Amino acid sequence: FIDGIDTIGKSRDGGRFGGGNDEREQTLNQLLAELDGFDPGKGIIVLGATNRPEVLDKALLRPGRFDRRITVDRPNLAGRLATLQVHTRSIHLAEDVNLEKIAQATAGCVGADLANLVNEAALRAVRLGRSAVNQNDLLAAFETVIAGSEKKGTVITDEEKRIIAYHEVGHALVAAKQKNAQPVSKITIVPHTQGALGYTLHLPEEEKFLNTKAELHAMLVGFLAGRAAEELVFDTVTTGAGRSSEEVVCHTMTSGAANDIERATEMARNLVARFGMCEEFDMMALGSVQNQYLDGTYSMSCAQETYAAADRAVIAIIRQCHEVARRMLEENRELLDKIAAYLLKKETITGQEMMAIIEGRDPETVDNYGATREEKQPLFRPSSPEVIEAPAKHIHIVSEPVPSPEEQTPEEQTPEEAQPDRDPEENEHK
Ligand code: ZN
């Protein structure tokens, strides 16, 4: 088994993938010769693995050498469930664990992500002093893997907190009000280590391989709804409230939406350039995907004018979706305020609580499946001095100096220490 076969099997066509390399080419030639030497009757199978099949030398892929290709793609629901079962085999699971739900939530994760998730869950269980991993540990670990852990020390002003709350509720409310959007499972305004000041977590109900244009539009509207909510709520603050208009402007356009904007733009660009969902370009692909198994970057390969026209089409889509998001929030302004107030009070709420507010029920009474906050136990052990455990009793520190053997005079020697020196002599005399 040769892992990373692309390091020695890179195409000898030096011009395309960086200059030629004599040593590597010799290794490749040797490998090709050796592969030909295998007797087909001996039952030896040679395997190679790579993330970049497109750079491999063509000669390496001819029949008789590496002639079969098996793509190990991101696992589907059944695959993720089986992977989770493998990784949880060696840890104690509580009875409430439902791996199927976790597999459902982790669409798009690869095997290594799932292994990491199980490990995080086990660490959390240990930190909370339990001997078995429960469902909440797994759900919390899932969030740790995608969003990082909660940042305890971040100081956020009340005004910023209000903006973040409205931003996140904007995302969540628009998702709840649209037919084609994924349900919201959690909204939080607790800052996380991967840079997010708050986030809205969507859990798909079923795995999807095809997305309709309407669903993609719904996602786009959802991405833009955070900023739309900020605009809607904080634009109405006038100078009469004791602030200058410049201040209001910089408050309403916060930098927190940068990631939303990036994702929305990427999606709109995909609609236009890859999925053929734009009138103007019909079914013309404007570029191609590079490094399919690594980052999957999309590079445009069209004329300058087409490129510019595609950008205009992207802007038109984003503008339209932004407008839809804003209108939707304007129509539901009362709910927006209600949910934001509830979120500000609780800091983390579940999708069920939000749905309860939307449907006019009391959010405190809903059954909170997937709420990762355990009511009585804090996430981490508190570190305030009054609750720090007393140090273990049987450890004591020796503070008397221990003299080195050279400084010891014969008088100071205890009988036990002196005994071994004297004994051999006595034995000789005897
Ligand atoms: Zn956002």
Side-chain angles (χ1 to χ4, degrees):
F1 176 70
I2 308 168
D3 199 3
I5 183 100
D6 52 301
T7 52
I8 48 168
K10 211 172 259 180
S11 174
R12 283 168 293 186
D13 175 12
R16 276 182 65 203
F17 302 110
N21 179 327
D22 264 351
E23 226 163 289
R24 192 177 62 220
E25 281 174 19
Q26 280 168 20
T27 319
L28 178 60
N29 283 333
Q30 180 71 16
L31 181 67
L32 292 173
E34 299 277 344
L35 278 171
D36 284 337
F38 278 113
D39 181 348
K42 286 276 165 65
I44 293 174
I45 299 171
V46 184
L47 298 171
T50 177
N51 278 319
R52 304 184 63 199
E54 70 277 2
V55 304
L56 291 182
D57 198 273
K58 292 287 167 285
L60 206 53
L61 303 171
R62 287 203 187 111
R65 291 168 183 158
F66 291 109
D67 51 4
R68 279 183 195 208
R69 198 182 276 201
I70 301 162
T71 307
V72 183
D73 212 342
R74 287 166 189 275
N76 58 11
L77 181 60
R80 289 195 302 274
L81 181 59
T83 311
L84 283 169
Q85 279 161 351
V86 168
H87 290 303
T88 50
R89 210 180 274 158
S90 56
I91 61 172
H92 295 290
L93 293 181
E95 276 179 9
D96 70 332
V97 169
N98 183 347
L99 289 180
E100 204 148 318
K101 281 232 162 72
I102 304 296
Q104 234 163 38
T106 47
C109 287
V110 296
D113 293 330
L114 298 175
N116 187 13
L117 186 154
V118 171
N119 188 39
E120 284 289 342
L123 288 177
R124 184 175 185 269
V126 170
R127 208 156 44 210
L128 296 179
R130 273 190 263 101
S131 58
V133 171
N134 64 22
Q135 186 77 350
N136 275 340
D137 290 331
L138 287 164
L139 286 166
F142 167 59
E143 283 167 34
T144 309
V145 170
I146 60 166
S149 50
E150 292 186 355
K151 238 198 236 169
K152 294 288 166 186
T154 316
V155 178
I156 293 178
T157 63
D158 286 348
E159 181 67 10
E160 282 172 326
K161 224 174 186 175
R162 241 167 71 82
I163 295 175
I164 297 165
Y166 271 101
H167 179 105
E168 297 305 332
V169 173
H171 284 306
L173 186 59
V174 160
K177 285 282 167 189
Q178 290 188 104
K179 276 201 304 287
N180 293 303
Q182 292 171 341
V184 174
S185 89
K186 186 178 172 176
I187 315 163
T188 179
I189 53 169
V190 179
H192 282 65
T193 47
Q194 280 180 23
L197 289 171
Y199 63 87
T200 304
L201 184 66
H202 300 262
L203 290 189
E205 276 170 336
E206 59 199 38
E207 198 158 25
K208 299 213 88 158
F209 295 98
L210 285 175
N211 285 304
T212 62
K213 189 176 174 184
E215 281 163 356
L216 294 174
H217 266 271
M219 266 190 232
L220 251 175
V221 173
F223 286 147
L224 300 171
R227 166 61 74 76
E230 288 179 35
E231 287 169 355
L232 185 66
V233 176
F234 298 94
D235 261 350
T236 55
V237 180
T238 54
T239 47
R243 276 190 271 169
S244 69
S245 55
E246 286 86 12
E247 263 183 62
V248 175
V249 170
C250 51
H251 269 296
T252 53
M253 297 254 178
T254 62
S255 51
N259 178 254
D260 296 337
I261 291 171
E262 213 167 276
R263 286 167 72 188
T265 309
E266 193 190 328
M267 178 155 291
R269 186 151 279 151
N270 280 341
L271 280 175
V272 173
R274 286 176 70 191
F275 304 152
M277 289 182 181
C278 164
E279 288 284 307
E280 196 179 346
F281 299 104
D282 201 27
M283 301 232 284
M284 176 184 171
L286 303 182
S288 56
V289 175
Q290 313 274 310
N291 285 347
Q292 191 186 348
Y293 301 101
L294 287 175
D295 47 0
T297 43
Y298 191 78
S299 65
M300 301 288 264
S301 54
C302 54
Q304 285 292 316
E305 294 93 83
T306 324
Y307 206 130
D311 273 351
R312 279 194 295 277
V314 169
I315 293 171
I317 290 177
I318 290 178
R319 196 160 276 153
Q320 189 210 339
C321 290
H322 186 171
E323 202 46 51
V324 170
R326 211 182 149 135
R327 211 171 331 114
M328 211 176 269
L329 290 169
E330 261 165 31
E331 285 163 12
N332 295 288
R333 180 63 206 264
E334 207 175 309
L335 279 176
L336 180 67
D337 290 335
K338 252 192 209 165
I339 302 170
Y342 187 68
L343 179 61
L344 274 168
K345 199 172 84 190
K346 296 268 173 176
E347 297 204 329
T348 300
I349 66 173
T350 60
Q352 289 100 316
E353 285 174 294
M354 184 185 72
M355 289 317 288
I357 297 176
I358 292 175
E359 289 160 11
R361 289 179 282 125
D362 181 10
E364 309 272 359
T365 59
V366 295
D367 160 43
N368 266 336
Y369 173 74
T372 45
R373 285 266 161 147
E374 276 149 282
E375 297 300 325
K376 288 178 192 78
Q377 281 174 314
L379 259 184
F380 298 95
R381 284 192 194 148
S383 59
S384 41
E386 64 267 28
V387 285
I388 286 180
E389 294 166 33
K393 294 258 161 49
H394 52 266
I395 295 176
H396 64 274
I397 298 163
V398 182
S399 55
E400 296 140 39
V402 179
S404 66
E406 288 90 340
E407 289 168 3
Q408 281 183 341
T409 53
E411 290 83 32
E412 277 176 313
Q413 281 180 344
T414 56
E416 290 88 3
E417 278 172 339
Q419 207 65 32
D421 294 342
R422 221 177 286 156
D423 268 340
E425 283 179 34
E426 280 176 8
N427 288 339
E428 274 175 26
H429 287 298
K430 278 173 190 168

